[in-house]
Amino acid sequence: MPLAPPERTADVLVIGGGNAGISLAARLHRKGIADIAVVEPKSTHHYRPMLSYVGAGLRTTRQMSRPQHRVMPRGVRWVQDSVRALDPVARTATLSSGERLGYRDVVICAGSAPDWDHVPGSAEAVAGPHASTNYTVELAPKTWELIRALRRGRALFTIPDGPAPTPQIGQKILYLACDYWQRQGVLQDIEVTLLTPTGTLFGQPDVDRVLQPWVDRYGITVLTDAHVRSIDAGARRLHATVDGTPRDLPYDLLHHSPVHAAPAWIAEAGLGTAAGGEAVAGVESTAGPGTSAAGYADVDPHTLRHRRVPTVWACGDAAALQTTSSGGGLRHQTKVLAANLLATREGREPTARYDGYTVTPVTVQRGRAVFAEYDRDNELAPSIPGVPLLGPSRVLWFLDLEFLPKDYWNVILRGF
Ligand SMILES: Cc1cc2nc3c(=O)[nH]c(=O)nc-3n(C[C@H](O)[C@H](O)[C@H](O)COP(=O)(O)OP(=O)(O)OC[C@H]3O[C@@H](n4cnc5c(N)ncnc54)[C@H](O)[C@@H]3O)c2cc1C
C-alpha cells in the first residue's frame, strides 16, 4: 500500500543545525528561498573549534555555547527532532517522533560522530581517569584537568587514521600542553609522544617545516605511519602499529582523537560512499586500508550535489569531499552549494566548484599560531595571496582565539 503523503513539507529541508546547516540555511534564505526547515535535535549550539582551547584551560564550554533558537535564522523553521530515515525516492525524511517531512531538495548537514568501536577500549579509556579527548563537549574540560595534574610520566597524543573533523587538530592540544608543562618547569620530566598515521609530522611538507622546530623545542617523539589498534585502559597501555611493527606504549596521560563515522541512515538510504570506494573527508592523507570511510554522503566533491540523486546535497563533516573537513572549509562549501542549488532551480547547470580548501589552525604555544591552509591536492591554499604559509604569529593566535568565534556567531551563522 502506498504511504500517505507527508504531514508537512519544506522547499529545502536541511538535516542538522550545526555549522553547516545553520550557515547554509541562512545563506539560502538570504538568497530568496522562503520555505526552509532545519531539523536539529539539540537545544544548544556549539562553536566546536573552541574545544581545543577548553582542553587547554583557556576557555570554558559555556563560552563556546549558545541556545540553538538564537542561532536559527529568522524566517527559517526549526524542527526540534532528529532524522532517523531518508527516502530519496519519495522525497521524505522520517523523524524520531514518527512524523514524515516532505521536501523538494534535501541538504545533509548532520556531521559525524566518534566511532569508538574503531579502536577497541578507546571509549573505556576516555571515560577513565588517565585519558580524554577534545572531540566531545563533555570530555574537553577533563583534558585540561589531566594536563594540569601531570608532573611527570608519559603523555601520548593520537591523530585519527580515518575520517574526523580537522584530523590534525590533535596537534593543537599537543603543543599547548607542552607549552604549559614547559612554563611549569616539568616538561623535562614528561616523555611526550605523538602518534600520527601520516608519513610525516603533519602530512604536508611546508607545514612540516614550520612545525618541526616546535617539536624539537619541546622534545616530542613523533611516530609516523602510526595506527592505534586498541587501548587497555586498566593497564594504561596503547597498542599500535608503527611502520607496520606492533608497539605497546604505556601512558600516564592520553589525548585520543577518535576516527568518526557518518550517521547510519545515510548509507541505509543508499546515499553513502561504499567501503573501499572513494576517498572521504580526512581519509586521503591519513587513512590506511580498512578504515571506516564508508557511509559518508556520496556527493560530487566539486558541486556538492549527490552523484546519483540530484535532489540530495551535502556539505560539512557528513559529506565525502576528498579533503579534510573543517569549519574554515565549510565557509567555501556553503557558498558553492547555495549557488549550485539556486542554479538548478533556474534550470541551469551547477557550475560553482569547491576546490577542497581546508584549514587547520595549530597553536604552537600560548600566543602563537600557524594556519595550515591547503587544498584537495595537498597544496598550500593561502587566504592572503602571496603569503604561502601563515605563521607562527601572534596575529593568528588572536584571530583564532578572539576574532573567529565572534565572526562565527555574527557573520558565518548569518549566511555571509
Ligand atoms: C575538537 C575539534 C576542534 C576543531 N577545530 C577546528 C578549527 O580550529 N578550525 C576549523 O575550521 N574547524 C575545526 N573543527 C571542525 C569543525 O568544528 C567542523 O568541521 C564543523 O563543526 C562541521 O560542521 P557540521 O555542521 O558539518 O557538523 P556539526 O557541527 O557536527 O553539526 C552537525 C549537526 O547535525 C545534528 N544532527 C546529527 N544527526 C542528526 C539527525 N539524525 N537529524 C538531525 N540533526 C542531526 C547534530 O546534532 C549537529 O548539531 C574542529 C572540530 C573539533 C571536533
Side-chain angles (χ1 to χ4, degrees), residues 233-404:
R236 272 192 264 157
R237 298 187 92 83
L238 178 147
H239 307 289
T241 52
V242 180
D243 260 337
T245 307
R247 291 280 300 268
D248 183 19
L249 301 157
Y251 65 84
D252 299 292
L253 179 155
L254 166 66
H255 181 269
H256 181 59
S257 300
V259 166
H260 280 50
W265 48 262
I266 296 177
E268 286 160 10
L271 298 169
T273 44
E278 295 285 333
V280 303
V283 171
E284 59 299 325
S285 61
T286 58
T291 56
S292 53
Y296 284 75
D298 193 10
V299 290
D300 176 324
H302 301 283
T303 63
L304 310 181
R305 190 183 208 181
H306 199 272
R307 292 178 195 268
R308 299 179 294 281
V309 188
T311 50
V312 175
W313 306 77
C315 65
D317 292 354
L321 300 179
Q322 297 177 4
T323 186
T324 54
S325 71
S326 67
L330 256 171
R331 199 170 193 163
H332 296 234
Q333 294 165 29
T334 53
K335 268 188 207 151
V336 169
L337 200 159
N340 283 338
L341 193 147
L342 290 165
T344 61
R345 292 289 175 100
E346 292 164 6
R348 291 184 285 115
E349 283 300 306
T351 51
R353 290 173 79 76
Y354 171 53
D355 66 2
Y357 168 91
T358 191
V359 58
T360 307
V362 183
T363 41
V364 289
Q365 65 171 186
R366 202 186 258 238
R368 272 182 208 280
V370 174
F371 271 27
E373 298 177 285
Y374 52 99
D375 63 17
R376 191 170 282 132
D377 300 323
N378 211 22
E379 298 290 336
L380 291 184
S383 297
I384 303 174
V387 185
L389 182 56
L390 298 177
S393 79
R394 289 190 182 283
V395 173
L396 292 179
W397 166 270
F398 175 80
L399 204 71
D400 197 43
L401 185 65
E402 303 286 352
F403 176 79
L404 286 178

Side-chain angles (χ1 to χ4, degrees), residues 20 89 126 142 307 316:
V89 177
V126 296
K142 182 180 161 199
R307 292 178 195 268

Side-chain angles (χ1 to χ4, degrees), residues 26-384:
R27 185 176 285 274
L28 287 173
H29 195 257
R30 221 164 37 77
K31 299 272 181 191
I33 298 206
D35 179 19
I36 302 173
V38 174
V39 184
E40 167 59 57
K42 291 187 195 152
S43 306
T44 305
H45 186 103
H46 296 116
Y47 174 61
R48 300 206 308 153
M50 204 175 268
L51 284 166
S52 301
Y53 292 112
V54 172
L58 297 167
R59 288 290 182 269
T60 62
T61 49
R62 227 180 130 193
Q63 288 171 300
M64 56 173 280
S65 310
R66 295 269 165 92
Q68 185 71 29
H69 70 84
R70 281 189 47 202
V71 301
M72 205 49 71
R74 207 163 288 163
V76 167
R77 260 187 296 153
W78 175 20
V79 179
Q80 190 169 11
D81 205 327
S82 58
V83 166
R84 69 173 154 83
L86 197 58
D87 182 340
V89 177
R91 289 204 218 163
T92 51
T94 304
L95 309 183
S96 292
S97 60
E99 186 189 350
R100 288 165 59 243
L101 271 179
Y103 61 81
R104 182 168 163 200
D105 280 290
V106 65
V107 192
I108 299 172
C109 296
S112 59
D115 176 7
W116 299 112
D117 294 339
H118 183 76
V119 173
S122 57
E124 294 76 7
V126 296
H130 299 283
S132 187
T133 182
N134 287 345
Y135 271 91
T136 73
V137 177
E138 296 70 32
L139 287 169
K142 182 180 161 199
T143 305
W144 171 234
E145 286 168 29
L146 297 182
I147 290 171
R148 201 168 48 165
L150 194 72
R151 286 287 173 270
R152 59 177 60 247
R154 298 183 180 97
L156 300 182
F157 294 79
T158 70
I159 302 295
D161 64 350
T166 46
Q168 288 287 352
I169 209 71
Q171 293 208 33
K172 202 168 181 176
I173 192 66
L174 164 71
Y175 303 122
L176 284 175
C178 287
D179 181 48
Y180 174 76
W181 290 325
Q182 193 167 58
R183 285 168 198 259
Q184 295 293 307
V186 298
L187 183 62
Q188 69 280 0
D189 299 321
I190 300 173
E191 210 177 282
V192 183
T193 304
L194 169 71
L195 291 97
T196 177
T198 42
T200 60
L201 173 59
F202 190 90
Q204 204 290 339
D206 300 285
V207 183
D208 291 341
R209 234 184 336 269
V210 171
L211 295 180
Q212 189 60 47
W214 297 90
V215 165
D216 299 339
R217 173 186 173 139
Y218 296 128
I220 300 164
T221 301
V222 178
L223 302 178
T224 54
D225 194 10
H227 302 263
V228 183
R229 299 302 182 202
S230 64
I231 302 172
D232 183 341
R236 272 192 264 157
R237 298 187 92 83
L238 178 147
H239 307 289
T241 52
V242 180
D243 260 337
T245 307
R247 291 280 300 268
D248 183 19
L249 301 157
Y251 65 84
D252 299 292
L253 179 155
L254 166 66
H255 181 269
H256 181 59
S257 300
V259 166
H260 280 50
W265 48 262
I266 296 177
E268 286 160 10
L271 298 169
T273 44
E278 295 285 333
V280 303
V283 171
E284 59 299 325
S285 61
T286 58
T291 56
S292 53
Y296 284 75
D298 193 10
V299 290
D300 176 324
H302 301 283
T303 63
L304 310 181
R305 190 183 208 181
H306 199 272
R307 292 178 195 268
R308 299 179 294 281
V309 188
T311 50
V312 175
W313 306 77
C315 65
D317 292 354
L321 300 179
Q322 297 177 4
T323 186
T324 54
S325 71
S326 67
L330 256 171
R331 199 170 193 163
H332 296 234
Q333 294 165 29
T334 53
K335 268 188 207 151
V336 169
L337 200 159
N340 283 338
L341 193 147
L342 290 165
T344 61
R345 292 289 175 100
E346 292 164 6
R348 291 184 285 115
E349 283 300 306
T351 51
R353 290 173 79 76
Y354 171 53
D355 66 2
Y357 168 91
T358 191
V359 58
T360 307
V362 183
T363 41
V364 289
Q365 65 171 186
R366 202 186 258 238
R368 272 182 208 280
V370 174
F371 271 27
E373 298 177 285
Y374 52 99
D375 63 17
R376 191 170 282 132
D377 300 323
N378 211 22
E379 298 290 336
L380 291 184
S383 297
I384 303 174

